[in-house]
Amino acid sequence: MSKIKLFNGIIGICLVTILFSCASSSKVVPEWVTNPESAYNSNEYLWAVGSGTDRKNAENDALALLVRSIQQNVVTTTEANQRFAGNEEAGYDMNYDYSSSVLTASSIQEIPGITFPQTWIAENGTVYTLALLNRQETGRYYRQKIADLTAVVESEIVYATANKGTFAALRALQNAVESAWENQQYIDTLAGINSNMYRMVSLEYGSAQAVEVLAARQKENIVVTVKVDGDSNGRIAAVLESTLADLGLKITSPSESTATYLFQGKVMMEPLKLDNKYEYARFVIDIDLIETSSGKILFPYTENGREAHVSYSEAVQRAYRTMENMLEQEFIPQFLNFVNTSDE
């Protein structure tokens, strides 16, 4: 046998020895199996003992039990129903009821710091494993996560307040809503891990639901007017106004000067001679979203095409139906993407 093979064999034996040394297989049942509290004070640790046919199954069972324990702690620590009161300055002036969200198992699975320090194999081959979590260490981790996200939410709210009535403010509050709900997951996790640290959490913005209300109220502060030249019977303007109404924005008359934004549109229609069988209507539609204070075009849209019929008037009607479909299928999705992503 070569020296290399002998060396590899020795290494293999050592690895096996180390692996099995991690798991006790004595006949005497360790006290941590029947009474984990004796070794790990529940004021300092969360623990659960799982069992299975092998170590992996035992760890999965212990983790599932620990997850269930944390979820129960969330329910008992947090109040089932809470209330927050708004005010007109903040953008809402009523009381709203909401239920605290309960931490999901998937989010608990991602909790850092869960270890499996003890494993024991019974005479019948059943493997027992202890899942352990340090309340203080993991609690500090989530306190920092909560502090960081709270700063993000409050910063977005401050920005939205300073830029009230703009799409940029709306986007900031939409970001704040996303961050606030993510923060709620961290808060719930903390409630299940360290109730004392949970009770010390203070959110200036109140709750994720409160931020949602602010975002909804912000839409009502965005004033838009619609003006479309060459629009037969106001059909194109009607589509634009319907879109704005669905978004919850405020629509005002072009004759008023209070609008922050203007949808300036133009429809051009002209006959087009191609053959003697049909009459053609060629159309061009231009729509610009303009910031009224600066005259800056924030969102441009233009399309053109043609429609045919035995009569020109019917070709024009077809052209309008085509433009309406274009607005529904192309313009509206693009505009919504602008609303959700643009910082102007």
Side-chain angles (χ1 to χ4, degrees):
M1 180 182 294
S2 68
K3 291 183 179 180
I4 294 177
K5 290 184 177 179
L6 178 61
F7 178 77
N8 288 338
I10 293 173
I11 292 296
I13 292 172
C14 291
L15 288 175
V16 172
T17 302
I18 292 172
L19 179 63
F20 278 94
S21 67
C22 296
S24 171
S25 59
S26 64
K27 294 182 180 180
V28 179
V29 180
E31 192 169 7
W32 63 263
V33 174
T34 57
N35 183 24
E37 178 73 26
S38 63
Y40 302 97
N41 190 310
S42 59
N43 289 326
E44 299 178 16
Y45 297 96
L46 284 168
W47 38 254
V49 177
S51 61
T53 56
D54 55 35
R55 182 163 185 163
K56 182 178 180 180
N57 287 331
E59 288 183 356
N60 288 338
D61 186 47
L63 181 59
L65 292 172
L66 186 61
V67 164
R68 192 179 307 165
S69 173
I70 294 175
Q71 285 178 314
Q72 291 173 347
N73 289 346
V74 172
V75 174
T76 56
T77 302
T78 60
E79 295 181 354
N81 291 291
Q82 304 180 45
R83 297 180 69 85
F84 63 90
N87 55 70
E88 292 184 1
E89 182 179 354
Y92 51 96
D93 55 6
M94 297 175 62
N95 288 333
Y96 296 85
D97 292 324
Y98 70 93
S99 298
S100 178
S101 59
V102 177
L103 194 63
T104 62
S106 61
S107 59
I108 296 181
Q109 299 282 1
E110 299 172 358
I111 292 177
I114 297 177
T115 61
F116 303 93
Q118 302 278 10
T119 298
W120 176 69
I121 304 174
E123 285 187 305
N124 63 1
T126 301
V127 179
Y128 293 86
T129 297
L130 176 74
L132 193 69
L133 184 67
N134 186 298
R135 290 179 183 268
Q136 291 296 321
E137 291 179 2
T138 307
R140 284 194 292 270
Y141 168 83
Y142 280 101
R143 278 291 301 274
Q144 187 60 54
K145 285 283 189 180
I146 293 167
D148 292 344
L149 270 180
T150 298
V152 170
V153 174
E154 292 176 353
S155 175
E156 295 284 40
I157 292 175
V158 168
Y159 177 86
T161 302
N163 296 274
K164 185 178 179 180
T166 67
F167 287 117
L170 177 60
R171 179 56 185 161
L173 288 176
Q174 289 171 335
N175 288 336
V177 169
E178 294 175 7
S179 297
W181 278 115
E182 183 181 355
N183 212 20
Q184 186 62 50
Q185 286 290 313
Y186 290 144
I187 293 169
D188 284 349
T189 305
L190 183 62
I193 293 172
N194 192 312
S195 59
N196 290 330
M197 286 187 179
Y198 164 78
R199 293 187 182 94
M200 293 172 64
V201 173
S202 177
L203 303 177
E204 186 176 337
Y205 62 82
S207 68
Q209 291 88 345
V211 182
E212 282 189 332
V213 172
L214 285 176
R217 292 293 183 264
Q218 179 62 220
K219 291 181 180 181
E220 299 172 0
N221 293 323
I222 300 176
V223 183
V224 185
T225 189
V226 176
K227 182 180 180 183
V228 183
D229 297 327
D231 182 15
S232 176
N233 297 319
R235 291 170 63 172
I236 302 303
V239 175
L240 297 177
E241 290 176 353
S242 176
T243 301
L244 297 173
D246 289 342
L247 281 174
L249 309 184
K250 185 177 180 181
I251 306 170
T252 187
S253 169
S255 60
E256 298 183 21
S257 59
T258 58
T260 307
Y261 301 99
L262 165 65
F263 261 130
Q264 178 70 63
K266 185 176 182 180
V267 175
M268 292 178 287
M269 192 82 60
E270 62 181 5
L272 183 64
K273 289 291 184 179
L274 292 179
D275 55 47
N276 297 324
K277 186 176 181 180
Y278 294 104
E279 297 288 338
Y280 288 86
R282 181 180 180 274
F283 66 86
V284 178
I285 179 172
D286 290 314
I287 302 172
D288 292 327
L289 176 65
I290 301 172
E291 185 181 56
T292 56
S293 62
S294 65
K296 179 182 177 181
I297 297 177
L298 303 177
F299 176 75
Y301 176 84
T302 183
E303 273 294 349
N304 63 82
R306 66 188 184 194
E307 289 294 336
H309 200 272
V310 293
S311 69
Y312 178 70
S313 62
E314 286 300 321
V316 169
Q317 293 305 311
R318 285 191 173 187
Y320 267 96
R321 287 193 292 271
T322 298
M323 286 188 289
E324 289 169 339
N325 289 334
M326 285 179 172
L327 293 178
E328 294 284 349
Q329 298 172 15
E330 298 176 4
F331 169 81
I332 293 176
Q334 292 175 21
F335 174 64
L336 292 178
N337 183 63
F338 162 81
V339 171
N340 292 327
T341 62
S342 176
D343 292 328
E344 301 182 31

